[in-house]
Amino acid sequence: MLDLISGAHSPAQLCRQHQLNPQMLSRWKGEFLERAPLLFEQDEVKSEEQERIAELERLVGRLSMQLDIAKKASTILSSQSSRNGRW
């Protein structure tokens, strides 16, 4: 199909080479040209999904760091309270 689209081969050459009916080749070309943009749309969707995944991974990283800090603060405060007899 790319040979036909790029002009590397004529429709007649491709029909002879692959024993195809010219109407069938024409139909395939039309369908290919009609649907080719869908390939790029899927890439855009994947790109948007990848960006969302990266954003969520950054959020998870920040939340993990905050949780670690909160745990350390809790440990420190617990040990200080027990030393002061307030526990």
Side-chain angles (χ1 to χ4, degrees):
M1 186 55 59
L2 293 178
D3 286 341
L4 179 61
I5 303 290
S6 69
H9 293 91
S10 71
Q13 287 174 317
L14 291 172
C15 287
R16 282 193 303 273
Q17 181 181 356
H18 299 287
Q19 300 175 355
L20 295 171
N21 179 308
Q23 287 81 19
M24 179 65 69
L25 184 64
S26 177
R27 186 173 130 217
W28 287 349
K29 178 183 174 185
E31 287 179 13
F32 175 80
L33 292 174
E34 180 181 316
R35 295 179 183 173
L38 295 175
L39 297 173
F40 299 103
E41 288 175 13
Q42 291 173 356
D43 287 343
E44 289 176 15
V45 169
K46 287 180 185 177
S47 178
E48 290 172 8
E49 289 172 352
Q50 291 299 323
E51 180 58 35
R52 180 69 175 143
I53 289 170
E55 179 184 330
L56 292 172
E57 287 174 343
R58 288 189 295 272
L59 177 62
V60 167
R62 283 193 302 267
L63 292 173
S64 295
M65 195 169 27
Q66 289 175 359
L67 180 60
D68 288 342
I69 292 169
K71 285 179 181 178
K72 288 178 185 176
S74 175
T75 302
I76 291 169
L77 292 174
S78 292
S79 67
Q80 287 178 351
S81 294
S82 62
R83 276 192 238 147
N84 294 334
R86 294 183 182 166
W87 197 270

